Amino acid sequence: MRASSERAHSRIVLALDLQNDDRQTLLKQCNAILEGVAKYICAVKINRQLVLALGLPTVSQIVTNVHELSLPAIMDAKLNDVGHTNSFMMESYVHAGFDAVIASPITGWEGGMDSVFEIARKEDKGVILLTYMSNPGAEQFYSMMTGVEDGQRPIFETFAQMAVEWRADGLVVGATRPDIIRRVRSLVGPSMEIYSPGVGTQGGDGMKALETGANYLIVGRTIYGSENPRDAARGLHESLK
Ligand code: 3DU
């Protein structure tokens, strides 16, 4: 990610969340957007809804195209199941060519996240952990106070600490919550990569997210939903300079 970001002079991760009932059209649209915005982004994130619409083998072709554009591909699987099914899903995404997978630490380590990290380490892939989501209701659980040895703290702080202990390759913290980004950055230190979704359409301010400690901005509708995605990506890229 660092190499790609430096090469592209960009911190934008494109969320390729397109929808179309016609699979061929959807595939064409995905590839057209990718080619149009490639030089303004540093990675592509694909969501499960695209896998449902196109099937993993077709998504794997998109991943190949992403790689041909010299960009890494992240699977936003939000993995959060027990070990054997996590393993199966992780193996499938690795086999499809993804470079990293997003998972939810809520399962805990043993019989949950351990299998995800084990496969990632074996295959030289990344694991990015959800730490605080961007939607308004995220507060309900991510800020829930939980007991620790020396008192109480919000659960997202435990997620951040676990990410360091488990040697995760990055964290997801919503761009709609710059104060939480700042807090997470102070907990995880300078070398952990923070990915921030929720920029633009969800109301998050990309510049503020970067200033408070995010490394990368995950951006979907603000780019692909605009009349001219290339101009939208270029505009965002310029504004972040
Ligand atoms: O709001 P956008 O269209 O820019 O899309 C944001 C993307 O980031 C989308 O793929 C969504 O699944 C993902 N995401 C969040 O929006 C918020 C999170 O906390 C985690 C992931």
Side-chain angles (χ1 to χ4, degrees), residues 15 17 45 47 76 78 130 132-134 172 197 199 202 218-221 224:
D17 295 335
K45 183 183 82 72
N47 217 321
D76 191 355
K78 299 188 176 74
L130 276 182
Y132 207 117
M133 290 188 68
S134 58
V172 177
V199 175
Q202 292 186 45
I218 295 174
V219 188
R221 288 165 292 179
Y224 70 74

Side-chain angles (χ1 to χ4, degrees), residues 10 67 74 77 86-87 96 126 148 153-154 158 164 168 172 174 180 230:
S10 171
H67 288 160
I74 300 167
N86 270 348
S87 296
V148 285
R153 68 177 176 195
T158 304
V164 173
V172 177
I180 304 283
R230 184 199 295 254

